[in-house]
Amino acid sequence: MAGDTTLTARYDYLKNTEQTLAAKIAELNKQMAFLKFKQWYYQTAIEAGTEAIHFIPGTRDFDPATKREYLEHHPDAGAFADFVD
């Protein structure tokens, strides 16, 4: 057993592992936020009978009002803002 001579190395390993895990969790949270948004997007499009409700009228461009509406109903959507402008 190496004992006390490896304390720093073991601590550093755990800190690095924590940072790696935190980055993975952040990425998973972004993916979850996107999934939840897409579920809402399709649910509301199904209810309206068209996904055109999410576009700027006369275009296929995403309407910023849709983002505002989603955030009003999902204030915990944090990472959502990272992928929809």
Side-chain angles (χ1 to χ4, degrees):
M1 287 176 70
D4 291 345
T5 62
T6 63
L7 285 174
T8 301
R10 287 183 278 160
Y11 174 80
D12 290 344
Y13 170 78
L14 292 173
K15 289 303 286 182
N16 289 335
T17 301
E18 177 185 25
Q19 291 173 349
T20 300
L21 184 58
K24 288 179 183 179
I25 290 169
E27 182 58 33
L28 288 171
N29 283 334
K30 287 174 77 172
Q31 290 177 16
M32 181 64 79
F34 183 72
L35 175 69
K36 288 182 177 191
F37 166 72
K38 290 303 280 190
Q39 288 173 332
W40 173 85
Y41 175 97
Y42 287 112
Q43 176 188 7
T44 55
I46 289 167
E47 291 168 359
T50 179
E51 67 180 309
I53 62 167
H54 299 302
F55 303 142
I56 295 171
T59 73
R60 299 271 304 160
D61 296 331
F62 187 72
D63 190 339
T66 297
K67 179 180 179 178
R68 287 191 298 275
E69 179 183 351
Y70 181 77
L71 289 174
E72 285 174 12
H73 293 94
H74 302 86
D76 61 332
F80 170 75
D82 293 343
F83 55 82
V84 178
D85 287 323

